Amino acid sequence: PYYIRQWDATGKVNSQVEEMFSGHMVIRAYGQEDETIDEFDRRNRELYDSSFMATLIAGINMPVTQFFGNLNFVIVVVVGGLKVLSGTMTLGDLQAFSQYSRQLSQPLGQLSSMATILQSSLASAERIFEFLDEPEEVAEREHTQDIKDVKGLVRFDHVKFSYDPAEPLIEDLSLEAKPGQTIAIVGPTGAGKTTLVNLLMRFYEIQGGSITIDGVDTRDITRHDLRQHFGMVLQDTWLFDGTIRENLLYGLHEGKTISEEQMIEGAKACHVDEFVRRLPDGYDTELKDETAELSQGERQLMTICRAFLSDPDILILDEATSSVDTRTEVLVQQAMNHLREGRTSFVIAHRLSTIRDADLILVVNHGSIVEQGRHEELLAKGGAYANLYQAQFANGDNIEED
Ligand SMILES: Nc1ncnc2c1ncn2[C@@H]1O[C@H](COP(=O)(O)OP(=O)(O)OP(=O)(O)O)[C@@H](O)[C@H]1O
Ligand SMILES: [Mg+2]
C-alpha cells in the first residue's frame, strides 16, 4: 500500500509542477502563489510520508530476516553444543545441522529482498495496466487502398457522431464539397465545427453514415495515407523546439523537399518573412519556450506557412487567423486565396468578413447544418447567417470599419 501511495503521490506532484510551471503567469495574475505553494507542500508531504514508510519497510525487511537467520544459527549452535556436551548428539550431526540452517536462511533472505522489489513493481504495474486498458484506436480495415491524384470531392453522407453516447452531437449530417471549392463553416462556439474536422481527418471514428474523398470511403484508406493529403492549421498553434526553418518545413511529406528560395517565397506570401528577418538569426533562430520569442499572431502565421509549404490536396483552416490583426488577416487571406486555388478547402472562421468569398457557407449549430449557400443568398434569406453577420457589424468586429 505504501508503494501504491508513493507512485500515486509522485504522479500528483509531477503533474502539479508541470501545470504550475506552464501556467505561472495566470497564477500570478490571480494572486494564487500562496495557495499554489500550500498545495505543493501538501502533496510533497504526502509523497514524503508514503516514500518514507515504503523505504523504511523495504529497508528493514532484509536486515530483519538476516537477523532472524543469524539468531536461528546461534540457537542451533548453542543448543547443539549443549547436546554434544551431554553426549546426546555427535559433533558431526551438529556440523551438518548448522550447515542446513544456514542454507535455509540464505534463500529466505533473498526472497525477502525480492519481495520488496516485487511490491514496488506491482504498484507500478497497476498504473501501467490502467494505461494499457484504455480503449484502442479502431483497427484499420483489412483491404485498404491509397488515393492518388486527389481531386478533392469530399462528401459527408448521413454522418452520425458523438463524443459521449449520452450526449448526441451530430445526428444526421450531409454535405458535399466539390473539387476546388472553398467551404466555409461558421456557427457559434461549441457548435461542432472542429468536430467536423476531427472526423474528416479520422481523429475520431464516425458512428454512422460515411465520409468519402473522391468516392472512396475514408475508412478504406489508412489514417496515415489519408492525412498525407491534408494540410491543416489548427485552432491552437503548435511549434516545437527547433529552428524556424525546421518548424516551417515540418509539414513536408516523406521524400519531398523544397529549395530555400521556395521556402522564402512561401514565407513572404504568409507574411512570416517580415518578422523572421527581424530576428538576429533569421530562419535559424531556435524556438525554445512555448510562448517566448514570438507573438501569438506570429505563431499562427508560422503554422499557416507550414501548411502552405506542404502543398496539400485538401486544406483545413480552423480559426487560422483569429489572433492576427485584421489588416494582416486580409493580406494572409489573399495569399491563401492563391493557396486555395485548385484544391478543396475547409475554412472555419468567426470573423465572417474573411469567408465572404467562399463557394459554400455552412452555418452549423448543435451539430447540424442549419443553413447553407453563398454569402449573398444567405444574407438575403435573413436567417441565422444574416443574424450572425448583423451582430458582427453592430459590434464593430468587422474589417470594413478598420
Ligand atoms: N474531445 C471531446 N470530448 C468530449 N466532448 C467534446 C470533445 N471535443 C469537443 N467536445 C464537445 O463537442 C461540442 C462541439 O465541439 P467543437 O470543438 O466541435 O466546437 P466548435 O464549433 O469548434 O467551437 P469553437 O468555435 O469554440 O471552436 C462542444 O459542446 C464540446 O464541448
Ligand atoms: Mg473549434
Side-chain angles (χ1 to χ4, degrees), residues 95-216:
Q95 168 78 24
F97 198 80
S98 63
Q99 200 79 36
Y100 295 152
S101 86
R102 258 269 170 256
Q103 273 175 8
L104 184 72
S105 67
Q106 212 172 22
L108 276 181
Q110 276 172 355
L111 214 61
S112 76
S113 76
M114 269 197 291
T116 56
I117 300 175
L118 208 67
Q119 299 251 306
S120 166
S121 337
L122 276 179
S124 315
E126 209 164 285
R127 297 171 69 81
I128 291 174
F129 283 123
E130 221 169 86
F131 173 72
L132 289 180
D133 284 343
E134 284 295 309
E136 282 289 334
E137 195 172 55
V138 180
E140 301 284 5
R141 286 190 179 167
E142 211 147 284
H143 301 289
T144 53
Q145 56 184 109
D146 192 10
I147 37 172
K148 295 248 154 47
D149 303 321
V150 175
K151 291 190 197 61
L153 173 71
V154 180
R155 192 177 276 138
F156 280 58
D157 200 19
H158 299 289
V159 169
K160 183 169 177 289
F161 174 79
S162 66
Y163 290 103
D164 176 2
E167 266 180 67
L169 181 63
I170 297 176
E171 307 253 30
D172 178 19
L173 186 143
S174 301
L175 71 91
E176 187 182 81
K178 298 204 176 65
Q181 275 193 334
T182 296
I183 311 294
I185 307 172
V186 301
T189 292
K193 303 182 294 294
T194 304
T195 308
L196 286 182
V197 172
N198 286 341
L199 296 179
L200 190 56
M201 298 281 281
R202 278 187 73 198
F203 290 131
Y204 291 87
E205 295 291 324
I206 51 175
Q207 286 141 12
S210 66
I211 300 175
T212 58
I213 294 177
D214 287 358
V216 181

Side-chain angles (χ1 to χ4, degrees), residues 193-195 235 318-319 348 350:
K193 303 182 294 294
T194 304
T195 308
Q235 220 162 357
D318 189 351
E319 285 289 306
I348 299 175
H350 282 299

Side-chain angles (χ1 to χ4, degrees), residues 137-138 140 145-147 150 197-206 213 218-234 250-254 256 307 310-316:
E137 195 172 55
V138 180
E140 301 284 5
Q145 56 184 109
D146 192 10
I147 37 172
V150 175
V197 172
N198 286 341
L199 296 179
L200 190 56
M201 298 281 281
R202 278 187 73 198
F203 290 131
Y204 291 87
E205 295 291 324
I206 51 175
I213 294 177
T218 53
R219 284 167 295 186
D220 288 332
I221 310 168
T222 62
R223 291 184 182 86
H224 180 78
D225 288 338
L226 175 71
R227 290 169 193 164
Q228 293 251 315
H229 300 286
F230 287 94
M232 72 188 300
V233 181
L234 284 180
Y250 186 73
L252 292 185
H253 294 304
E254 294 141 26
K256 227 159 118 187
S310 77
D311 192 24
D313 295 316
I314 300 172
L315 186 68
I316 298 174

